[in-house]
Amino acid sequence: MNKTTRILTVDDSASMRALLLHALTSSGFEVAQADDGVAALEWLALNEVDVVITDINMPRLDGFGLIERLRAGDRHQDRPILVLTTESSDEKKQRARNAGATGWIVKPFDPEKLATAVRRVTH
Amino acid sequence: MKRITVLQGQICVSGDTNVEFGTVLGSCVSSCLFDSVAQIGGMNHFLLAEPPANHTPGQVDVHYGVYLMELLINEMLSRGAIKQRIRAHLYGGANLRAGMAPIGTANAAFARTFLDREHIPLLREDLGGTCARRVDFRPATGQVRCRTVESTLAPDLKPASRTDRRSGDVELF
């Protein structure tokens, strides 16, 4: 039996976290949640994860900063990081790509497309 | 005063004291958010779709609503608003026709729940009932005027759902 894929979602909106938790657990994933980039780094310092799904606009440390910090260390250089955002500009997308993001998803998200993306980046 | 009509599915944000947003609501809900310190305000206007038949009757598909609320808040933050200072008014959510699904009630419940979850104080609401409303909102000051109007003035319902939008497309780098 395969190991359950563990996902950390990072989003400052409690409503969005609730939607993500429901969608991802319904697809069979194990989900942990953080409400901004700083909380994500603190959680990741103590826990293992297979995929990170992060928003861009967040207080304290935004999604770009989170990706840059994770890629700068040894532990998360190859970790799939998906950006899930309301931002639709090519400039922001390119910035995420340059920071080291694995993929880009524009909200409102489709639960099935999101689950498919997670499976693609973990296999 | 420059008047801007906020149509269904739109968001508008401004800090201009000479701007007034306006909209007419039937079952739709409009959130008026403002930060009185930054003098930035914004309005959205949405009607959420009912989910597929296998879901609980009276529920709405909240994905699009969360998206429109987040879009509005992010646009305000990008212009200098601070989330902890944002205050809200909610209007609309009427059930104009007896015997139809209470979609207005479900939309109003969604909006209240969203604000509660995000810890955004709701200063005033005029939701529900059976009458259409006209709402005028001055974003820089947070001043709102809400009047009931003839239901025939309310726009036709165009429930939005993520299933009829090309939403959630995934691009892997």
Side-chain angles (χ1 to χ4, degrees), chain A residues 33-85:
Chain A
Q33 301 199 293
D35 57 11
D36 64 22
V38 172
L41 289 174
E42 290 170 355
W43 190 87
L44 286 166
L46 302 171
N47 297 278
E48 293 298 328
V49 74
D50 299 303
V51 182
V52 175
I53 300 175
T54 182
D55 187 20
I56 290 293
N57 299 300
M58 295 181 290
R60 300 206 291 174
L61 181 64
D62 68 11
F64 297 125
L66 173 63
I67 297 168
E68 285 164 0
R69 295 275 291 273
L70 292 177
R71 293 306 189 215
D74 293 331
R75 277 181 66 210
H76 302 290
Q77 281 188 351
D78 299 319
R79 184 86 53 226
I81 304 175
L82 299 172
V83 174
L84 178 62
T85 178

Side-chain angles (χ1 to χ4, degrees), chain A residues 73-117:
Chain A
D74 293 331
R75 277 181 66 210
H76 302 290
Q77 281 188 351
D78 299 319
R79 184 86 53 226
I81 304 175
L82 299 172
V83 174
L84 178 62
T85 178
T86 57
E87 297 283 353
S88 54
S89 78
D90 287 340
E91 183 262 331
K92 295 276 177 70
K93 183 162 61 177
Q94 191 58 43
R95 196 174 155 199
R97 187 176 190 162
N98 292 344
T102 311
W104 179 265
I105 305 164
V106 177
K107 295 173 184 172
F109 74 89
D110 179 289
E112 287 181 19
K113 290 178 185 173
L114 184 65
T116 301

